[in-house]
Amino acid sequence: MDITYVPGVGSKRAEMLKRELGVQTAMDMLYIFPYKYIDRSRFYLIREIDDEDTFVQIKGHILGMETIGVGKKERLSVHFTDGYNTIELLWFSAAIKYVKPKLKTETTYVIFGRPTFSKYTHQYEFIHPDLEQEGVHNQETYLGLEPYYNTSEKMKNSMLNTKAIRKIMSNLMPMVKQGIPETLSSDLLRRYGLMNLTDSLQNVHFPASNQLKEQARSRLKFEELFYIQLHILRTANRKIQYSELYKMPRVGHYFNDFYYHHLPFSLTKAQQRVIKEIRADMMSGQQMNRLLQGDVGSGKTLVALMVALLAADNYAQTCIMAPTEILANQHFETISKMVAGTGINVALLTGSTTKKQRTILHERLMSGDIHILIGTHALIEDNVQFQHLGLAIIDEQHRFGVKQRSKLWEKAELPPHILVMTATPIPRTLAMTVYGDLQVSVIDEMPPGRKPIMTVHYTIQQHGRLNTFIDQQIQLGRQVYVVYPLITENKKLELLDLENGYQYFCNNFPQYRICMVHGQMRPQDKDAQMQMFARGECQIMVATTVIEVGVNVPNASVMIVENAERFGLSQLHQLRGRVGRGADQSYCILMTNQELSKDTSKRMKIMTETNDGFRIAEADLQLRGPGDLEGTQQSGLPFELRIASLASDGEILNLARQAAKEILANDPTLENPQNIMYINQLKRLRPRVERTDWGEIS
Ligand code: ADP
Ligand code: MG
């Protein structure tokens, strides 16, 4: 049914719903889920407010109000009391005009909204809360639980707000309720104890009770995650290709010679295990698609090299792709050094490789003379051809888009074995959904002799103390990184910047040499500075996050992050991973302003509490949501998540994946007519509509 004909819609609104929400049919509309419910059945007391996540309603009256500031800075501050405590309600600029005349001190109001914790007053307050006279609202609610829908600015401007959506839903539901087709088999519903679709849609929009609402939401989450899993796993099944070219059974001279005569240390148990796992894939006769996760410093490069040697033993070439030129150079150097004298030829291809060098390189690749080619994405963009590319290793893949990866396919008769390495630990839920088609290997052990990095959090006022510490460390022969969020000063942002920072350190430490890298430098300059630091010719490296990924200078033992509040958890963890690579005690010092938001405090707390990348990744997912995590936008979920959350629905995800696996076990690509309902539903699920202008509260 076309949504236009639902009372309360009409052609103009239908157009808007289509453009803003991707809604065309009645079913599309019913899959626009509330993002929250306000519990109208109970009033909170001000003193009960203890987080920013719960929307609450409070009954009380106004004690007084004042308007502060002028123009854009103007705000209306209202003192509201529930009879016991008071709380501040705030309205800014334009809103003041129509709120203020309505406010009366003798009226009893119900306010509702999401409390915010003010970093200035250190108390909770409400910004632009909804405010109604007592009794006005409660009559039209459904047993206390009132649904709220996300609407865009444009929708709000044409009065298509949450109330309007609620009205449309209540008109629509009775019209279609009899004919909603179930999307999960009765077998699945029974075995997983799920509510049927009709009841679920009814209760997600008009919950008869909290319990039924939760059952409805569980079922809808299950459905969403189930189809994602079904899609991913089925696609993976369809991709499986068998070929003699994929068979790499030999462990030959290159591997053995390196293992027995050139390996500078013994492998950790975890390294041994993942090499075995990778080797099993490489022998199997089908294409490997494996994700290798291992925290910073866990020794992934060595694993990459050893499996490249296995490929070489089977007459196949390997390319290793790094996200930055610095890192590609570094891999090239480390690996060249390690394989010196083994007969393995390694080459480097980056943006700085000259045309003349390229010509020679192309020939050597075609003749099979080069065993391992290391490079940046220049490597895929360049029209290099290999004699037989058998293995592609992608380091820190979140910088490589899916499109770029697929270009690799053109470089060989068959897509090569793929090994994706990442030090940004991916929470399990995310790995299962975004990388659900990849097998996962984990290095969960650090090379021996590492001391855990000590992390402390300082505020900017403690910079003096920090300088003493830096000096002590350098006296001990160590080196120091200082990372800034900006390169150049920006008057609008109250942040420290690298250029001033460089001056600051030059002035404060005239006895030391200071070098600098940032993204706007020419690659050769960047490289020269990095080399100087790596050789120990300078003591302090002032940098931006270009040094975030993979750089290895074991003698550097102090990482200082200025304006640490500006960085996400994974980024901070990555930065911290630049130190702690040698035998010395290392330190990570997070500098922030005095005033911190609640989220920032949480981030600093987690960083100082743990070095465990997986815990940090989980916390990151909780704090930011999966959409923000590096890499997910690029690799993307196959379908948009409308109700399930990767941060909190891990259990449902496990069940949904299990259900999908059971179905595919008997019918790997869903050819069987009895599974036609799944195919049909997969076809109906459309790719996500990109939306950016969600209002916070509708
Ligand atoms: P990452 O996993 O972050 O890429 P690297 O591969 O850069 O880590 O390794 C970090 C450091 O650990 C390197 O200096 C490397 O030589 C060293 N290393 C790797 N494996 C071992 C091992 N088994 N024993 C001791 N040191 C090792
Ligand atoms: Mg690495």
Side-chain angles (χ1 to χ4, degrees), residues 96-109:
I96 297 174
K97 225 180 24 253
Y98 63 91
V99 172
K100 200 173 172 183
K102 285 201 270 182
L103 301 178
K104 300 190 182 66
T105 43
E106 63 274 20
T107 307
T108 304
Y109 289 103

Side-chain angles (χ1 to χ4, degrees), residues 327-398:
L327 202 55
N329 286 335
Q330 188 184 289
H331 278 338
F332 176 68
E333 270 162 38
T334 324
I335 289 179
S336 303
K337 237 184 257 159
M338 284 208 257
V339 298
T342 63
I344 286 283
N345 295 327
V346 188
L348 179 69
L349 175 63
T350 66
S352 317
T353 311
T354 62
K355 223 171 151 202
K356 212 163 122 202
Q357 291 168 319
R358 266 171 217 247
T359 316
I360 303 170
L361 208 83
H362 288 176
E363 268 170 35
R364 292 182 63 205
L365 280 167
M366 273 310 278
S367 73
D369 177 43
I370 292 173
H371 301 94
I372 303 174
L373 177 65
I374 296 171
T376 53
H377 60 271
L379 190 155
I380 359 183
E381 266 136 38
D382 196 279
N383 55 358
V384 285
Q385 290 292 324
F386 293 78
Q387 188 192 51
H388 171 37
L389 177 65
L391 172 64
I393 299 175
I394 300 160
D395 197 16
E396 300 301 341
Q397 86 100 43
H398 51 274

Side-chain angles (χ1 to χ4, degrees), residues 148-293:
Y148 278 72
Y149 298 89
N150 265 319
T151 54
S152 66
E153 271 323 306
K154 280 203 191 107
M155 290 169 69
K156 264 179 245 169
N157 291 342
S158 32
M159 298 307 285
L160 201 50
N161 53 17
T162 204
K163 274 186 190 148
I165 303 260
R166 217 180 280 145
K167 191 81 197 134
I168 294 171
M169 291 292 183
S170 67
N171 292 336
L172 171 62
M173 196 50 141
M175 293 170 74
V176 295
K177 206 173 165 186
Q178 297 314 318
I180 294 175
E182 180 53 71
T183 56
L184 298 173
S185 74
S186 46
D187 182 51
L188 277 185
L189 293 181
R190 189 172 39 78
R191 281 194 298 130
Y192 289 91
L194 302 170
M195 190 185 256
N196 71 45
L197 182 57
T198 307
D199 290 350
S200 302
L201 290 173
Q202 170 74 36
N203 277 290
V204 81
H205 294 295
F206 311 106
S209 72
N210 221 351
Q211 198 195 352
L212 288 171
K213 181 199 83 194
E214 282 314 307
Q215 281 177 24
R217 284 170 52 82
S218 282
R219 135 81 211 216
L220 294 165
K221 288 172 177 182
F222 183 96
E223 171 182 327
E224 192 163 85
L225 295 168
F226 168 78
Y227 277 103
I228 287 182
Q229 290 301 315
L230 203 62
H231 173 80
I232 291 173
L233 297 171
R234 171 174 175 250
T235 312
N237 286 347
R238 284 205 300 194
K239 269 204 303 228
I240 291 176
Q241 290 186 52
Y242 292 87
S243 161
E244 283 302 311
L245 282 175
Y246 284 137
K247 281 201 180 143
M248 302 191 181
R250 238 176 321 271
V251 181
H253 170 74
Y254 289 132
F255 186 92
N256 285 327
D257 178 44
F258 179 79
Y259 187 77
Y260 293 110
H261 305 297
H262 296 267
L263 192 60
F265 25 63
S266 43
L267 295 174
T268 62
K269 285 221 170 56
Q271 283 170 323
Q272 287 171 16
R273 190 188 66 243
V274 303
I275 290 172
K276 274 198 195 119
E277 287 167 359
I278 294 166
R279 173 152 188 264
D281 282 359
M282 287 169 61
M283 285 168 59
S284 70
Q286 67 191 53
Q287 190 205 9
M288 168 171 77
N289 268 297
R290 192 168 275 277
L291 175 68
L292 174 59
Q293 294 195 44

Side-chain angles (χ1 to χ4, degrees), residues 663 666-679:
I663 289 162
N666 297 320
D667 184 9
T669 53
L670 299 181
E671 316 275 325
N672 194 327
Q674 100 192 25
N675 286 325
I676 187 84
M677 79 182 285
Y678 299 125
I679 292 286

Side-chain angles (χ1 to χ4, degrees), residues 192 221-222 225-226 229 233 428-430 432-433 645-646 648-662:
Y192 289 91
K221 288 172 177 182
F222 183 96
L225 295 168
F226 168 78
Q229 290 301 315
L233 297 171
R428 242 174 53 79
T429 50
L430 205 57
M432 269 162 61
T433 31
S645 145
L646 295 182
S648 49
D649 295 324
E651 258 170 64
I652 300 179
L653 174 60
N654 278 333
L655 294 175
R657 185 173 173 92
Q658 183 191 325
K661 276 187 168 168
E662 283 162 8

Side-chain angles (χ1 to χ4, degrees), residues 264-268 271 294-303 330-331 334 338 395-396 421 423 443 446-448 450 550-552 554 577-578 581:
F265 25 63
S266 43
L267 295 174
T268 62
Q271 283 170 323
D295 215 339
V296 275
S298 62
K300 293 183 296 294
T301 318
L302 187 59
V303 171
Q330 188 184 289
H331 278 338
T334 324
M338 284 208 257
D395 197 16
E396 300 301 341
M421 305 200 295
I443 307 185
M446 286 289 177
R450 300 277 170 83
V551 175
N552 191 25
R578 298 309 104 223
R581 303 185 144 244

Side-chain angles (χ1 to χ4, degrees), residues 560-674:
I560 297 161
V561 185
E562 298 282 5
N563 289 118
E565 65 267 32
R566 295 291 294 192
F567 299 97
L569 270 177
S570 331
Q571 228 175 358
L572 290 173
H573 184 62
Q574 273 287 338
L575 287 170
R576 175 166 64 182
R578 298 309 104 223
V579 297
R581 303 185 144 244
D584 310 309
Q585 175 63 55
S586 291
Y587 304 88
C588 172
I589 295 149
L590 305 172
M591 305 295 297
T592 66
N593 281 321
Q594 189 95 35
E595 303 283 357
L596 294 183
S597 75
K598 220 172 146 191
D599 269 8
T600 307
S601 309
K602 274 191 203 157
R603 287 205 301 273
M604 298 306 129
K605 187 156 176 283
I606 291 160
M607 285 298 294
T608 52
E609 271 172 13
T610 184
N611 272 309
D612 179 345
F614 280 90
R615 259 198 68 195
I616 288 170
E618 294 287 348
D620 203 23
L621 187 58
Q622 304 288 347
L623 283 174
R624 295 207 292 170
D628 283 344
L629 287 187
E630 270 178 305
T632 48
Q633 290 100 325
Q634 280 183 1
S635 34
L637 296 166
F639 315 118
E640 184 186 12
L641 290 180
R642 289 158 173 267
I643 189 163
S645 145
L646 295 182
S648 49
D649 295 324
E651 258 170 64
I652 300 179
L653 174 60
N654 278 333
L655 294 175
R657 185 173 173 92
Q658 183 191 325
K661 276 187 168 168
E662 283 162 8
I663 289 162
L664 293 171
N666 297 320
D667 184 9
T669 53
L670 299 181
E671 316 275 325
N672 194 327
Q674 100 192 25

